[in-house]
């Protein structure tokens, strides 16, 4: 069987600049590396773990393209404005935004603190708004450069299967991802006339730090796999390859769509034997 990486093309994003939020680890790191494989220069955003962000930059540079670490809290308006201004100053523009940064603060509603609710909404939903607003402003300022891409800009939202699957014990997270879905679609409608393409990816269970307890322990993994028809946990590169395609001109007629990259998790696996 061919692996995803062996199927990959090269240089589909040559001369383009991508800003990936939360790119120091997990899915964001996977997307940053996949975009670099296609020739993009990458802004690696993070909030706390500078050493890991710098390691991602080193990996990208070893591929022959350029990268830059920009620390910023995506839920802070002032941070996001400075981050975009720095990206444009260093790399000339931003062509692609990946709204990936996200957190979980899990608790049943009767025990959830206001801070736990607010932190998840602030990072997962408001952060995506603040970054998208700066990206749209930059795409409109720069306009179309046809030799680079037939779109003036691309925005990709990393949502979750929980934009549609309810998740007991995680109401703040599911609410943030449901909100993200409607934000993505409404924005897609709004900016189409500017030749800005907007889409989403809804990952299922991907092996990262955010869900370590559900794959590190064999019993937990076995129970997780019951929810995944393809019977394997996803890897960050599974998301990276789809993000590259959505960012490239190959997907130019895809707009306002969410691609579920979940091994079939959203297919009501409980009904797989007839219900
Ligand atoms: P992860 O490994 O925990 O990575 C989270 C990233 O977000 C880190 O780079 C972190 O930076 C950054 N971050 C956190 N708060 C931030 C803030 N306020 N401003 C800027 N960056 C911030 O998680 P992941 O699994 O890769 O998750 C990435 C996205 O995928 C999230 O939106 C998550 O909801 C979504 N997702 C994940 C899964 C899954 O199974 N893993 C499934 C569905 C959806 P530092 O390293 O500097 O702290």
């Amino acid at each position: 069987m061919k692996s995803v990486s062996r199927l990959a093309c090269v240089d589909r994003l040559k001369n383009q600049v991508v800003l990936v939020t939360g790119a120091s680890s997990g899915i964001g790191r996977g997307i940053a590396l996949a975009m670099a494989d296609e020739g993009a220069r990458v802004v690696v955003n993070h909030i706390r773990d500078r050493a890991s962000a710098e390691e991602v930059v080193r990996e990208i540079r070893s591929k022959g393209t350029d990268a830059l670490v920009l620390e910023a809290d995506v839920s802070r308006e002032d941070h996001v404005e400075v981050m975009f201004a720095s990206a444009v100053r260093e790399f000339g523009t931003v062509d692609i935004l990946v709204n990936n940064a996200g957190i979980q603060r899990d608790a049943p509603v009767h025990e959830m603190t206001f801070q736990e609710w607010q932190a998840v909404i602030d990072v997962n939903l408001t952060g995506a708004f603040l970054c998208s607003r700066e990206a749209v402003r930059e795409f409109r300022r720069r306009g179309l450069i046809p030799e680079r891409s037939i779109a003036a800009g691309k925005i990709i939202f990393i949502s979750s299967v929980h934009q549609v699957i309810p998740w007991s014990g995680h109401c703040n997270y599911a609410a943030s991802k449901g909100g993200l879905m409607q934000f993505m679609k409404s924005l897609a409608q709004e900016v189409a006339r500017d030749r800005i393409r907007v889409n989403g990816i809804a990952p299922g269970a991907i092996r990262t730090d955010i869900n370590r307890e559900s794959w590190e322990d064999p019993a937990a993994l076995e129970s997780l796999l019951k929810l995944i028809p393809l019977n394997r946990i996803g890897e960050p590169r599974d998301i990276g390859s789809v993000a590259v395609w959505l960012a490239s001109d190959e997907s130019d007629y895809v707009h306002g769509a969410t691609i579920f990259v979940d091994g079939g998790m959203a297919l009501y696996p409980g009904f797989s034997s007839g219900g």
Side-chain angles (χ1 to χ4, degrees):
M1 193 178 79
K2 284 182 178 173
S3 71
V4 171
S5 57
R6 285 183 58 203
L7 288 172
C9 309
V10 283
D11 287 352
R12 280 180 287 179
L13 304 176
K14 196 167 167 56
N15 298 325
Q16 296 190 55
V17 177
V18 56
L19 190 157
V20 184
T21 66
S24 52
S25 104
I27 290 174
R29 174 178 177 276
I31 292 171
L33 295 175
M35 298 261 179
D37 280 335
E38 298 290 338
R41 286 177 290 165
V42 185
V43 177
V44 175
N45 161 254
H46 77 105
I47 184 164
R48 269 173 292 271
D49 188 355
R50 177 137 198 131
S52 296
E54 282 172 351
E55 181 54 35
V56 175
V57 164
R58 270 194 294 280
E59 276 188 72
I60 289 172
R61 289 193 176 141
S62 74
K63 295 173 185 292
T65 183
D66 204 2
L68 162 76
V69 173
L70 288 180
E71 182 182 315
D73 180 344
V74 295
S75 70
R76 294 269 309 266
E77 186 175 30
D78 53 343
H79 283 209
V80 171
E81 286 172 357
V82 169
M83 173 170 71
F84 270 80
S86 307
V88 171
R89 192 178 57 243
E90 294 296 324
F91 283 158
T93 190
V94 172
D95 300 277
I96 302 155
L97 165 67
V98 183
N99 282 313
N100 166 77
I103 58 170
Q104 284 181 220
R105 297 287 182 271
D106 307 331
V109 160
H110 66 279
E111 288 174 7
M112 188 177 286
T113 64
F114 178 67
Q115 284 81 0
E116 287 167 336
W117 171 268
Q118 196 65 51
V120 169
I121 299 296
D122 283 352
V123 176
N124 298 8
L125 187 55
T126 306
F129 157 69
L130 292 170
C131 292
S132 300
R133 185 178 65 174
E134 291 310 306
V136 168
R137 286 173 175 166
E138 172 57 17
F139 299 160
R140 287 168 60 105
R141 180 199 68 78
R142 169 182 32 76
L144 195 64
I145 304 181
E147 55 276 21
R148 200 184 290 175
S149 172
I150 51 182
K154 280 92 43 161
I155 301 178
I156 300 168
F157 289 78
I158 305 303
S159 166
S160 163
V161 289
H162 296 295
Q163 72 173 37
V164 293
I165 301 178
W167 202 14
S168 155
H170 306 75
C171 287
N172 49 358
Y173 185 81
S176 74
K177 296 298 185 176
L180 209 51
M181 173 183 70
Q182 278 300 347
F183 176 44
M184 183 278 289
K185 290 200 220 181
S186 303
L187 182 63
Q189 203 180 53
E190 186 174 309
V191 299
R193 68 179 71 89
D194 298 314
R195 287 295 294 138
I196 296 169
R197 276 198 311 117
V198 181
N199 289 289
I201 296 175
I206 310 297
R207 193 192 308 270
T208 74
D209 280 350
I210 214 172
N211 56 3
R212 181 172 287 280
E213 76 288 347
S214 62
W215 50 263
E216 224 170 32
D217 167 51
L221 179 62
E222 195 185 325
S223 118
L224 175 65
L225 291 179
K226 291 197 179 89
L227 298 174
I228 310 174
L230 282 182
N231 200 40
R232 74 165 172 91
I233 189 166
E235 304 294 338
R237 66 171 176 274
D238 290 311
I239 308 300
S241 57
V242 177
V244 162
W245 182 74
L246 278 178
S248 78
D249 286 347
E250 288 175 8
S251 60
D252 189 56
Y253 208 49
V254 181
H255 187 58
T258 297
I259 301 182
F260 283 73
V261 185
D262 66 349
M265 191 180 239
L267 295 176
Y268 298 94
F271 284 83
S272 59
S273 55

